[in-house]
Amino acid sequence: MLRPERTGGTRAGGAPLGPLLSAHRVLGDVPQWALLERELFAAQEKAWRLFADRYTEDDGRLVFRDTLGEGLDGRDGVDDFYEPFFNWPTLYLLGGSTELLTAARRHWRGVTAQLTGMGMLVDGLERGYDWFHQGEGLLLFYGLCLADPDDPELRELARRFADFYLPGGPNYDPEHRVIRAPHNGAAGPRFGFSDEEAYFPWSLALRPYGLPLDGFDGVTSFDDLAASPDLAREYGRAMWERMGRGDTLANLGATGLATNAYLLSGDQRYADWVAEYVGGWRERLEGRDVVPDNAGLNGEVGAYLDGRWYGGHYGWSWPHGLSPVGSSAIVGAANATLLTGDRGYLDLARNPLDTVLRHAERRSIDEMGTLGERWQPHLRAMDAERTLMVPQRHNDSGWFDFTVMPGQLPLSLWHFSRERQDADRIEELRAGSAWDWSAVHTQRIKDEAGHEEPWYEYLHGRNPDFPERMLRSALASSAERVAAIEGDTVDPAVGPDALDIHHWQHLNPVVTEALLQLTTGSPQVLYNGGLAQLHVRYHDMEARRPGLPQDVAALVCDIRPEHTVVELVNLGGATRSLLVQAGSFAEHRISAVRADDGAEQAVDGPYFRVDLPGRTRLTLTLTMTLRAGRAACASPWETA
């Protein structure tokens, strides 16, 4: 396996684990954040077991007696079966129990068998659906690969899944650098939006997002379609022609499969494809003010939309606009940058954010458009009448659907780049916000994000109590889910008349956002297919596994590459030894580490070791260069 380049020192297998530092400062007053952090780990060990006992079978599949794949839009639902477990491997990676990793793998295998039996998968991968949803469903698989990279089954599947998108696979046209359809997967391009007769295939529940097509004569509202099946069929055929073939920006999510395969295998062809495909979208941006969201089978923007740069499926116009556009652009650009070192790809990610910011307006809470649920607690608490909002969408009428900028987009981009221009964008948003960026609201949406702003304030010295408040909030969120599970009266074995397939997502009691922010200095993963981009991470030296050792708590309070600060606390009586790693994939290089007693050690690699005697604490300052080494998803321990 190809591994990051490392120099100096030795370890089992021949690659260095870096110098050893030891704590000497005896723990006096125990930091409250450290106690809360360990309490959160302990609480979740009980919580995930409760969920598994209530909602899963012995083989890991979800208790569900109905089927998917029927009805008007019978391609939907795969992601909903994987999503309840999406962050379980992450909790293990941070320090959760070995039993949790075993359970996460069992549920992934069980759900895969369950969905295969329903006809929704081919060779373990979705038959064909959009990447807004496929990205959500693959988070569990990506998490397992990072948590257990030596698993041969995962390594083989990572390559198989990615090969569906490389040249020679069914989905990609290398001549025009396009993925052939918005719905795609293991069965190749799946043109249109339904396997049934082409007609408007979505329910009237999507009324809030408006109509997908501009310029269709005779249709001005959902009521027109509901009143005339013939008109609905005609409208559906027009959607098939305009939106159901060719490439869409959301397909950048597929680069996650190839990036994951490269990180596990080191096979250069996966990195080359990511650079080639993302490069195609990068070129489509050249000479334009706004990154387009669609390309025909010939690679031309607007080929089926009368030249429009907007209107692609999960693009600028419908249904969500900025959320999938921004997320897909960041995922694709980050993957290409990680694998090539070319930071120019990041301009593709910056464009959607800068575009909507140019059209921002100060608006009241009553004027907020769709996808505004997350911001209701923030805006209800503000004293001012108006705050900065950006348009999420664009159609023939111009920019519309204003809401607060989703914080995870600019924060994730800045965290990845750590460049001034990306920090300046956040400061512009901060200056225009009338709501309190330091407030921590206990709220939970399925992506388990939404607390980026108070974390950003903490990192910049403006929110000192954030760690304690964030950990208490996470404990409360998990406890609310536990109470909901214990009080759940729905029979999970009953079909969709009594059980919404989103039911399990809303009850997942595992929470990782707080632990990612505080222990690794990283935001929650982008939910539509992002790979974990951790600033630092840890391994238990004695157990030879990922995560913080028992009794150890960690707090990252500064993530400037030249000045990363990590505090480690051992709350127990026994000595704990850990390995500190720079980057999810050992891609960052630490040049030196300085302890709180002033002692400094040269590192020149991605690792160093720490011994923490019982009831001691240690503050470390790391000098780090981002992505100075080759990224790889591999265990630091000797492998057979």
Side-chain angles (χ1 to χ4, degrees), residues 127-157:
R127 292 181 61 86
Y129 201 41
D130 64 73
W131 270 93
F132 180 85
H133 290 95
Q134 284 204 65
E136 295 176 337
L138 280 162
L139 291 182
L140 174 58
F141 178 70
Y142 293 154
L144 286 170
C145 289
L146 184 59
D148 193 11
D150 295 328
D151 185 322
E153 178 187 14
L154 295 174
R155 291 159 61 87
E156 190 277 328
L157 285 174

Side-chain angles (χ1 to χ4, degrees), residues 279-357:
W281 283 104
R282 185 180 176 185
E283 289 182 15
R284 293 179 192 118
L285 172 58
E286 291 178 2
R288 298 177 182 270
D289 292 332
V290 187
V291 62
D293 65 18
N294 69 93
L297 289 168
N298 60 4
E300 294 181 8
V301 173
Y304 309 130
L305 291 163
D306 298 323
R308 292 177 177 88
W309 52 266
Y310 54 89
H313 190 43
Y314 275 95
W316 280 114
S317 300
W318 192 86
H320 303 315
L322 177 63
S323 178
V325 168
S327 180
S328 300
I330 294 171
V331 167
N335 288 336
T337 304
L338 178 70
L339 299 188
T340 69
D342 182 354
R343 303 178 73 84
Y345 286 105
L346 295 178
D347 289 338
L348 181 67
R350 293 176 178 122
N351 177 267
L353 306 182
D354 291 336
T355 295
V356 297
L357 264 174

Side-chain angles (χ1 to χ4, degrees), residues 538-539 541 548-549 568 576-580 608-610 612:
Y538 311 95
H539 302 268
M541 292 286 291
L548 290 167
L568 300 169
R576 303 296 180 188
S577 298
L578 64 154
L579 182 70
V580 180
F608 64 88
R609 295 166 292 156
V610 176
L612 290 171

Side-chain angles (χ1 to χ4, degrees), residues 24-145:
H24 302 290
R25 184 158 49 116
V26 176
L27 188 61
D29 294 333
V30 178
Q32 190 64 26
W33 63 263
L35 293 171
L36 291 168
E37 195 170 287
R38 294 311 311 183
E39 182 182 348
L40 182 57
F41 275 114
Q44 292 188 91
E45 283 301 314
K46 297 177 181 178
W48 70 259
R49 288 179 168 87
L50 177 68
F51 180 96
D53 289 344
R54 176 74 171 85
Y55 298 113
T56 69
E57 309 272 14
D58 289 343
D59 68 350
R61 69 183 60 208
L62 288 160
V63 178
F64 185 70
R65 300 290 185 262
D66 213 296
T67 60
L68 295 175
E70 298 178 353
L72 308 182
D73 59 346
R75 305 176 181 188
D76 191 11
V78 167
D79 55 301
D80 299 305
F81 279 67
Y82 288 115
E83 284 177 87
F85 314 102
F86 86 96
N87 56 357
W88 290 28
T90 302
L91 182 58
Y92 164 78
L93 188 80
L94 297 172
S97 67
T98 302
E99 291 83 2
L100 175 58
L101 177 64
T102 302
R105 187 186 292 111
R106 182 174 68 252
H107 295 311
W108 171 70
R109 287 175 174 156
V111 166
T112 297
Q114 186 173 22
L115 291 168
T116 300
M118 295 181 190
M120 303 296 287
L121 307 182
V122 173
D123 291 334
L125 188 68
E126 187 147 4
R127 292 181 61 86
Y129 201 41
D130 64 73
W131 270 93
F132 180 85
H133 290 95
Q134 284 204 65
E136 295 176 337
L138 280 162
L139 291 182
L140 174 58
F141 178 70
Y142 293 154
L144 286 170
C145 289

